[in-house]
Amino acid sequence: GNLAGAIECVRDITSRKEAEQALAESEEKYRGIVENATEGIFQATPDGLVIGANPALARILGFSSGQHMVDSQVDFRRLAADPLDPEADFFRRIWRLGEVHRGQIRLRRADGFLIWAQISARAALDQRGSPYIEGFLQDVTAAKQAQEVLASSHETLERRVAERTVELEAVNERLRELDQARSAFLSLASHEL
């Protein structure tokens, strides 16, 4: 029962602790970028079920938080305003193409309000090899409405130009008739003189 000696093994773990600290700082930096981004950032299953969302996405889609979206099992397919539109099956298109840049889709927010969203997303595999989709979503409703107003204004102007052209052609034809009548009158008057 007497202690005869001790063997100790000392390992310098300074570099491992420094790497862990650097990793923690890097994670915090990127978490801050994602949490404070103005674009909606999301991760979803291949079928469109939200598995991760930043606060901007929650705000754009009318939810209280990204975690609320995950807990509520929000499905992008159910948010599609036009489910019969082939573009509404956005996630199938992502899997078919691998990625989609600036695709536009109409979505129904949690409050029922319709918005236009521009989505850029790509298919990916997690560390276990399970497929998922990651992407960015931006509310482009105001731009889409401005584009529609511009198109409507353009159409109205085109119609007005066409109407004015018809009116001017009629006036021009009447002036030609009057010019011919004047010429005929002058010819007759000069002949009589």
Side-chain angles (χ1 to χ4, degrees), residues 57-170:
L57 183 73
R59 186 182 69 260
I60 291 168
L61 295 178
F63 290 89
S64 60
S65 70
Q67 188 60 48
H68 179 231
M69 292 181 71
V70 173
D71 294 343
S72 300
Q73 297 186 339
V74 172
D75 187 337
F76 273 108
R77 292 173 303 171
R78 288 188 301 208
L79 295 177
D82 308 311
L84 298 178
D85 180 358
E87 294 296 309
D89 200 352
F90 193 77
F91 290 89
R92 185 169 295 158
R93 200 163 40 130
I94 292 170
W95 280 111
R96 190 175 71 247
L97 301 174
E99 62 185 7
V100 173
H101 295 284
R102 297 184 180 170
Q104 289 193 357
I105 185 173
R106 265 183 3 148
L107 298 174
R108 187 172 308 279
R109 291 171 31 104
D111 59 9
F113 187 74
L114 292 176
I115 64 166
W116 278 98
Q118 180 173 287
I119 301 177
S120 294
R122 72 179 188 97
L125 297 174
D126 66 14
Q127 293 173 341
R128 295 182 309 267
S130 299
Y132 72 99
I133 293 172
E134 59 187 11
F136 299 91
L137 183 142
Q138 188 175 16
D139 183 352
V140 293
T141 305
K144 193 76 168 176
Q145 289 170 341
Q147 185 180 27
E148 289 171 0
V149 167
L150 183 62
S152 175
S153 296
H154 184 267
E155 195 174 291
T156 301
L157 286 173
E158 287 288 330
R159 190 177 62 251
R160 283 184 182 167
V161 166
E163 290 169 357
R164 296 287 181 181
T165 300
V166 168
E167 289 173 8
L168 288 174
E169 286 174 354

Side-chain angles (χ1 to χ4, degrees), residues 3 12 17 19 27 33 43 49 78 94 120 124 161 166 171 184 187:
L3 182 63
D12 184 5
K17 288 294 186 184
E27 285 178 0
I33 291 171
Q43 290 181 323
L49 185 68
R78 288 188 301 208
I94 292 170
S120 294
V161 166
V166 168
V171 168
S187 174

Side-chain angles (χ1 to χ4, degrees), residues 36-66:
N36 296 310
T38 57
E39 270 189 335
I41 301 173
F42 66 89
Q43 290 181 323
T45 65
D47 294 330
L49 185 68
V50 176
I51 55 176
N54 73 339
L57 183 73
R59 186 182 69 260
I60 291 168
L61 295 178
F63 290 89
S64 60
S65 70

